[in-house]
Amino acid sequence: MTISPKQRLAVIIAALLALFLGAMDALVVSAAMPTIVAEVGGLHLYSWVYSSYFLARAVSLPIFGKLADLYKNRNLLMAAIGLFIMSSVAAGCAFDMIALIIARAFQGIGAGGIFALVYVVLADVSPPRSRGRTLSFASSVWGIASVLGPTLGGFVVTYFSWRWIFFINIPLGLISFWGIGAYLVDVRSKKDKVSMDFAGVASLSAAILALLFAFLLGGRNYAWGSSLIIGLLILSVASIIAFSAIEHRAKDPILSIEFFRLRGFSTGNAAVFLSSFAIFSMFAFAPLFIQGAQGRSPMEVGVAMLSLSRGWSLGSLVLGQFVDRIGRKGTAVAGAVCLTAGCAVTLTFTLTTPIYYIFFNFFVIGIGMGWVALSTLLVVQSCLDEKDLGVATSSNQFARTLGGAVGVGICGSFIAARFSSLFESVRTSDLMRHLPDRMSDAGFGQIERLLDPGAQATMPDALRHMVQDAVMGGVGGVFWTVTVVAGICILLCLLMPGEKKKTKY
């Protein structure tokens, strides 16, 4: 079935609006969380407002990707948007933290469906030679959301109510829901008889949840060598083994093991996994260096971090205009080189490195990520048949999500180790009595307050230098790790196939 230019434009706009809602939702909540906790309580559950959304989204991504190859994309995307809208209503009406966490979990399922299906729909409605250009628009949506999200969240909380950060999804979601329902038609033929691989879904979900829980909790709430973390890792490995056995026997596997034998599929997903490992670790821990070690203001931190997201979105948007003409492997390699070079430059950062230098370097890192992300997505899509486009797209999205989670988990352990050492050093010295009153009263467990430039200004030089050394040591380990990981990403990009390949099963 074909789609007219008018329908194509309407579908692209509606799909990008849905993607914008999902991208914004992960950002606006951060500005509202202190107010939410003050009103509904549940401080001990604070992190689960984020974790429930993230875990549900990660699990639903590959499932919706497979469903996109079996059922009509129109119905699936409308269902995902509908679930996102209804769970937004539930989140806005939440009366306690438990209800909010449950609503956020369902939001995560809807967002996972949106993230998987929007890229499939954009690829479906685009002519093959302009697919890269269309998919690059999605990266610009992420860039816009990264700018508007925190600002909009702060504005809504200040002048309205925190509940409106969820209610605002309703009118925009309904517009997207209507656009998809009115204009989207399936251009790919689907199977007449569907055999859903429920055992594969269960084992894959168990593997994902166990692995993500391990990296969310490891090095923070529990030591990496604790019985819980080791048990979660063992469960993840056992579930992966079970999943592999199930998929070999499944009539219509949710993720065929045969796909991993394709060079484009395996190297493309591995490359975006490593690039996401690097850039999300930068997003998470570079602010510690800028504010905690250099003593710069939160505004300067925000500007520097904005350069990462701006580079990512602009790099992908510009690349989309010519990637189909110059080749995907070459642009992926060039992106990985930019990413690695930018990460390597961070090894030269000192306490006096100018903020404009940091800004420019992070912009280069962002451009590299934008090129790798778009190029690897196109490589993975092109190495499978059109009938497997949903699996190809969602596998790349999932590899990106998993890479970020693993990277932040591993690099977070470096920070935790250095601050644990800092705590012991201060506790056993006479510097405890020099802590600002608000920290002494709250207890040194509020160690993150030591990163406040205002608090550092009141510290004696010896304590301030200890804090700066701890931050430099921890973030320095992060910078070394992401540089090595980005270097491996170059090798994987070099191993990707240079031409479009199709393999049938």
Side-chain angles (χ1 to χ4, degrees), residues 51-139:
S51 299
S52 61
Y53 177 87
F54 175 79
L55 291 168
R57 191 182 76 184
V59 170
S60 62
L61 260 171
I63 296 174
F64 273 102
K66 179 60 179 180
L67 292 175
D69 295 330
L70 301 177
Y71 300 100
K72 291 183 177 180
N73 291 336
R74 174 180 175 274
N75 296 341
L76 288 171
L77 186 50
M78 290 178 69
I81 296 172
L83 177 59
F84 188 83
I85 293 172
M86 290 187 291
S87 56
S88 294
V89 174
C93 296
F95 52 87
D96 61 20
M97 193 63 78
I98 296 294
L100 179 58
I101 290 170
I102 294 172
R104 289 284 289 167
F106 280 100
Q107 267 193 312
I109 296 173
I114 289 172
F115 292 163
L117 294 165
V118 163
Y119 285 88
V120 174
V121 167
L122 293 178
D124 268 344
V125 302
S126 304
R129 295 301 299 174
S130 62
R131 181 175 288 177
R133 183 184 308 166
T134 305
L135 289 174
S136 70
F137 294 147
S139 294

Side-chain angles (χ1 to χ4, degrees), residues 61-236:
L61 260 171
I63 296 174
F64 273 102
K66 179 60 179 180
L67 292 175
D69 295 330
L70 301 177
Y71 300 100
K72 291 183 177 180
N73 291 336
R74 174 180 175 274
N75 296 341
L76 288 171
L77 186 50
M78 290 178 69
I81 296 172
L83 177 59
F84 188 83
I85 293 172
M86 290 187 291
S87 56
S88 294
V89 174
C93 296
F95 52 87
D96 61 20
M97 193 63 78
I98 296 294
L100 179 58
I101 290 170
I102 294 172
R104 289 284 289 167
F106 280 100
Q107 267 193 312
I109 296 173
I114 289 172
F115 292 163
L117 294 165
V118 163
Y119 285 88
V120 174
V121 167
L122 293 178
D124 268 344
V125 302
S126 304
R129 295 301 299 174
S130 62
R131 181 175 288 177
R133 183 184 308 166
T134 305
L135 289 174
S136 70
F137 294 147
S139 294
S140 65
V141 168
W142 282 97
I144 294 170
S146 68
V147 175
L148 289 182
T151 304
L152 179 62
F155 177 83
V156 170
V157 171
T158 301
Y159 294 102
F160 297 95
S161 164
W162 66 265
R163 299 182 185 276
W164 279 97
I165 67 172
F166 300 111
F167 291 154
I168 200 174
N169 293 332
I170 300 171
L172 298 178
L174 288 175
I175 294 173
S176 177
F177 186 89
W178 172 81
I180 295 298
Y183 293 102
L184 180 59
V185 294
D186 277 72
V187 296
R188 284 187 298 142
S189 59
K190 304 296 174 71
K191 297 179 180 180
D192 295 329
K193 294 183 179 180
V194 175
S195 176
M196 193 60 192
D197 179 20
F198 291 106
V201 169
S203 57
L204 178 61
S205 299
I208 294 171
L209 286 173
L211 184 64
L212 290 180
F213 266 117
F215 281 98
L216 283 172
L217 300 175
R220 294 179 179 85
N221 305 81
Y222 299 89
W224 285 108
S226 66
S227 57
L228 176 63
I229 301 301
I230 292 176
L232 286 171
L233 293 175
I234 292 174
L235 175 60
S236 180

